[in-house]
Amino acid sequence: MAETHGKVLYLDPFSGIAGDMFLGLLLDLGIDQDQMVEEFERMGLRFDLAVSQVNKNGIAAISTTVTIPADDEDDDEHDHEHGHEHGHDHGHDHGHDHEHDHGHDHGHDHEHDHEHNHEHDHEHDHEHNHEHDHEHDHEHNHEHDHWHDHEQGHHHDDVADDEAHAHGRSMSVDEIHEILDLLSEPTRSKAKAMFDALIEAEAQVHGSTVESVHLHEVGAVDAIVEIVGAVKGLELLGVSHVVSGIVNTGTGFANMAHGTYPVPAPATAELLKGVPQRVDSFSSIRKELVTPTGALILSHLVDEFSPISMTVDQVGYGAGKRDLDIPNVLRGFLGYSASGDSVKRLALLESNIDDMNPELYGNLMDLLYRAGALDVFFTPVQMKKNRPGVRISVLSEVHVKDVIINTLMKESSTLGVRVSYPERFEAEREIINVQTDMGTARVKVAHFHGETVNISPEYESCRLLSHESGVPLKEVYAAALQAAREQIPGREAQN
């Protein structure tokens, strides 16, 4: 059996993906709920998170629903005080029978009603009395575009979405950033990047600006909880790599605030750029299966879309809100990658050019990397009529092949692109910090079949130490390499 490295989560979105489905999946895989709640508390938001076990076509799955308590829903004042109270109502009925009755009097209203069938009764009564009273004096010009075309965790023709549109209060990008800034790192940075992408997609679809986009409070809170839960949940599971299969987006039309639109919804389609999708307009499932938060998870938290060799320890299911011919669940496999035996299929795109201005090659390389290229290299070749030319070679993930081809056609003088699909065996790589007399250096360590096969100091790290200390770069390299070998006992590797 091959050595395994790295905790991996493999997503199987055969029935779509939404933020609530992903959060349910993480809960089913056993994340520490107390730590998750602790992260939610940092934001000072008032909401209820209901968690329960449901049956989807014979599969037991965890369902999650985010709501704002009724006493907050009718408050449409823009000059308001946020008491920032959380009301997390977790009604877990996993067939275990644990009763955790957490009555947290934080000013956060946490009611955790976990019923797991293990016949343990745990009662936790914490009185922390944390009052998060933030006063926001918002003067809105009302020259904003209040877009509601995204379901943010719900499907457009669900009752939950209709309720969201009934509330007048909205949240601006600055308000959302203010809330996310209260999170711990790295959750804060990742969550902000995902929310910024959501706002940009909304602005792009509606021909507006990021500054003018405001979200309904109900939908915004829903998306915040699902995005923060997704990022923090992966961290709590200790996942180092997320892989996904092709996502089923569904087909047909969805009813939204501004009319009826094709599936996937416009903002969702924008967010799914670069993500492999099963697009079948003749499918019997005439429903929307991917929400914007689901699309954000795929585009921002998934590291690759490809087959994988792994040892599976757990299988979890997050429930969607649909009743379909197939189970509306997001399935996830948690385990370890068998990197020594895994083969990665890539796309190799090549073109020979003999008539392009040499000054354009540098810009072309930059654009190809931005388009998703893993590697770009230029090789001198001798072409017909004995003309000197350049072979442009681009290595990429299969799912970004079309974007790479489009970039080559637009930004170079080529008239065609050859595509092949090589296999690549990869060593597991990690970055370690080592101490030298010149300071801390970063070193890349490669493992294959359970052995350390290469140790390589990082150029930029060593160059900076050389510049600051005045020690020649080659001596910094040698010192970093020696320190790394000493830090990895029993491992000898060729440089």
Side-chain angles (χ1 to χ4, degrees), residues 252-254 256 260-266:
F253 293 86
M256 308 178 206
T260 301
Y261 293 89
V263 170

Side-chain angles (χ1 to χ4, degrees), residues 424 426-431 444-447:
R424 182 169 76 175
E426 295 183 350
E428 287 281 325
R429 284 159 281 188
E430 63 172 326
I431 299 293
K444 184 184 295 180
V445 182
H447 309 281

Side-chain angles (χ1 to χ4, degrees), residues 190 193-198 271 275 295-303 305:
K190 291 181 180 179
M194 291 172 72
F195 229 105
D196 286 347
L198 174 62
L271 292 166
V275 173
L296 281 170
I297 289 165
L298 292 175
S299 60
H300 284 71
L301 299 182
V302 172
D303 297 294
F305 297 88

